Amino acid sequence: MLQSIGGQPPNPRASKIAVVGGGSTYTPELIDGFARLRDTLPITELVLVDPAADRLELVGGLARRIFARQGHDGKIVTTSDVDAGVEGADAVLLQLRVGGQAARNQDETWPLECGCVGQETTGAGGLAKALRTVPVVLDIAERVRRTNPDAWIIDFTNPVGIVTRALLQAGHKAVGLCNVAIGFQRKFAKLLDVAPSEVHLDHVGLNHLTWETGVRLGGPEGENVLPRLLAEHGEAVAEDLRLPLSVVDRLGVVPSYYLRYFYAHDEVVRELGSKPSRAAEVAAMEKELLAMYGDPALDEKPTLLAKRGGAFYSEAAVDLAASLLGAGGSPYQVVNTYNNGTLPFLADDAVIEVQAAVGPSGPVPLPVAPLDPLFAGLIANVTAYEDLALEAALRGGRDRVFKALLAHPLVGQHAYADGLTDRLVAHNREHLAWA
């Protein structure tokens, strides 16, 4: 691994990167970023690891064509062998989905039967995904540690906060990554007519439970232009969030669009119950994308991929990997990492999503101004749920699942928690060793 000397990053050397879940239809977005940003993160070898050989062949073929089109001379390798794929890697990116879109479709539908939000990263569906995912990710991480203990693990697998905490508690060199913050940065930069690198967000909360409490120009000490942004472009911001402008104005901050599940829960439940699930839409889209990936003439990411989700994921991933490997990267990035006193009302080992200074020794959260109780209270509540969710993922048992659901502010009633527990176990039995 690269080491920092005297606080200065060393001259960057080319790295080997492994992507577990490399057969995802997301992957060409990541490949495009690696190709375009090769000066930021030089790569000699990129390994795509996935058990789905058919998808992997299609994605790997397109990945090689993208590299060739953009003049990247790095080697792209595909394999279903995790141990072989991560051997010698400087960084391992995790972007897997246990159970595929079929499991996601269940996560998004059966909670609606109890009148609760059906979503793959929060509420009962998010808990189901955590229970399926945490044991698999920990097994992969142990393989990385045995094969290459110096490798950084970058987790993009949802629910990122819970998964990252599981990795950190097990002693892995791990950082969680989400594309929500970079999406806001790019949107705000466009609205303000400045370069994205000029926009620094005061981004605070938990993964998929965050608020932009400041928008600064030039860095963490720059002018806070959030009031001007909301005054001049409030309608555009609120429209993206699908919240009334009056709500955004009263909050005085920009909430993540995931906060709509909390701020407009019943409205969202009615909407979700009246249309096909997002998983069904994505499954159809993936079928079309994979057909495109099989076209030997295609040598760039298709425009349809933008509708798949994960906007700017590649830029965020390259930036984070470059900083962790001492190859450069932005000095400040939004990541998921240990709290370590940043939010004084949470335990040090809670995982939060904030701006951090990132280098080869890992992320160090920047100081956060005291939070309004309106935001701090919800963060504390959901952190308590995440404590219980991780306990259920690690130890199993119906009672642990029930307690996690009862603690979640989107559930909260014992009858709901009982009904959701029964459905969660029934729909996920094949993925839960204890069930």
Side-chain angles (χ1 to χ4, degrees):
M1 281 295 288
L2 300 172
Q3 298 294 323
S4 177
I5 300 173
Q8 299 297 318
N11 292 326
R13 64 169 175 83
S15 303
K16 175 180 176 179
I17 307 293
V19 181
V20 180
S24 168
T25 53
Y26 270 133
T27 300
E29 164 69 26
L30 189 60
I31 300 298
D32 178 73
F34 282 137
R36 287 185 294 102
L37 303 173
R38 55 187 176 274
D39 291 339
T40 301
L41 181 64
I43 295 175
T44 54
E45 185 175 351
L46 180 63
V47 185
L48 305 180
V49 184
D50 203 292
D54 52 344
R55 294 170 63 105
L56 192 57
E57 181 180 358
L58 295 173
V59 174
L62 175 56
R64 294 185 185 97
R65 296 192 297 273
I66 291 174
F67 264 32
R69 176 190 174 112
Q70 299 198 29
H72 196 303
D73 59 3
K75 179 171 66 171
I76 293 180
V77 177
T78 58
T79 180
S80 59
D81 186 331
V82 174
D83 295 322
V86 303
E87 185 174 2
D90 297 290
V92 178
L93 277 65
L94 304 180
Q95 56 169 38
L96 55 146
R97 182 184 296 281
V98 179
Q101 293 299 331
R104 176 182 180 174
N105 185 64
Q106 292 178 350
D107 295 343
E108 293 177 342
T109 51
W110 54 261
L112 297 174
E113 298 170 5
C114 295
C116 296
V117 160
Q119 211 277 331
E120 64 159 342
T121 66
T122 192
L127 177 59
K129 192 172 195 303
L131 297 182
R132 294 193 304 269
T133 304
V134 166
V136 174
V137 165
L138 289 178
D139 176 69
I140 292 169
E142 285 301 326
R143 292 167 181 266
V144 172
R145 179 151 54 191
R146 289 198 303 266
T147 306
N148 185 16
D150 289 328
W152 277 102
I153 296 175
I154 298 173
D155 178 61
F156 194 66
T157 297
N158 282 319
V160 168
I162 295 172
V163 173
T164 301
R165 185 168 179 182
L167 288 165
L168 289 172
Q169 285 189 177
H172 299 289
K173 293 177 61 177
V175 183
L177 178 65
C178 180
N179 69 319
V180 166
I182 194 172
F184 275 133
Q185 181 202 42
R186 299 304 173 90
K187 178 173 182 61
F188 295 164
K190 185 175 181 179
L191 292 173
L192 295 166
D193 195 24
V194 299
S197 60
E198 286 296 302
V199 175
H200 177 95
L201 302 176
D202 291 347
H203 178 104
V204 62
L206 311 177
N207 180 243
H208 290 185
L209 193 88
T210 52
W211 297 263
E212 311 307 326
T213 60
V215 178
R216 301 182 183 276
L217 297 182
E221 304 301 323
E223 176 192 4
N224 181 13
V225 297
L226 177 59
R228 172 161 67 90
L229 178 75
L230 291 178
E232 297 178 0
H233 305 286
E235 288 284 2
V237 172
E239 184 178 354
D240 272 3
L241 300 174
R242 300 187 64 202
L243 287 171
L245 175 59
S246 60
V247 172
V248 178
D249 284 341
R250 291 165 75 183
L251 292 175
V253 302
V254 179
S256 160
Y257 40 85
Y258 286 94
L259 264 298
R260 186 167 182 261
Y261 296 115
F262 295 81
Y263 294 160
H265 176 274
D266 292 353
E267 178 184 348
V268 172
V269 169
R270 288 192 295 270
E271 287 178 5
L272 294 176
S274 66
K275 62 181 182 179
S277 69
R278 173 62 177 166
E281 295 175 359
V282 170
M285 199 180 307
E286 286 196 331
K287 186 176 180 180
E288 188 175 351
L289 284 169
L290 289 170
M292 291 179 176
Y293 296 171
D295 180 357
L298 183 68
D299 58 4
E300 59 184 346
K301 63 178 183 180
T303 55
L304 177 62
L305 187 56
K307 297 180 180 180
R308 172 67 178 82
F312 309 117
Y313 163 40
S314 61
E315 284 89 343
V318 168
D319 207 16
L320 179 55
S323 294
L324 293 172
L325 300 179
S330 303
Y332 306 112
Q333 297 168 47
V334 172
V335 297
N336 285 259
T337 191
Y338 271 149
N339 177 47
N340 283 336
T342 307
L343 301 181
F345 54 88
L346 297 184
D348 284 349
D349 66 350
V351 165
I352 60 175
E353 185 172 291
V354 291
Q355 285 278 6
V358 184
S361 59
V364 178
L366 300 185
V368 172
L371 285 178
D372 188 308
L374 179 63
F375 313 132
L378 187 53
I379 290 171
N381 190 339
V382 176
T383 297
Y385 152 75
E386 290 190 348
D387 291 346
L388 295 166
L390 182 54
E391 184 75 2
L394 294 174
R395 300 180 63 191
R398 189 190 186 283
D399 283 349
R400 294 188 180 93
V401 173
F402 169 81
K403 289 177 181 178
L405 288 168
L406 190 62
H408 201 296
L410 296 183
V411 180
Q413 298 184 52
H414 70 84
Y416 285 175
D418 260 328
L420 290 167
T421 299
D422 290 340
R423 288 167 173 79
L424 186 155
V425 173
H427 285 285
N428 289 276
R429 233 177 258 284
E430 65 180 294
H431 301 291
L432 306 177
W434 53 267

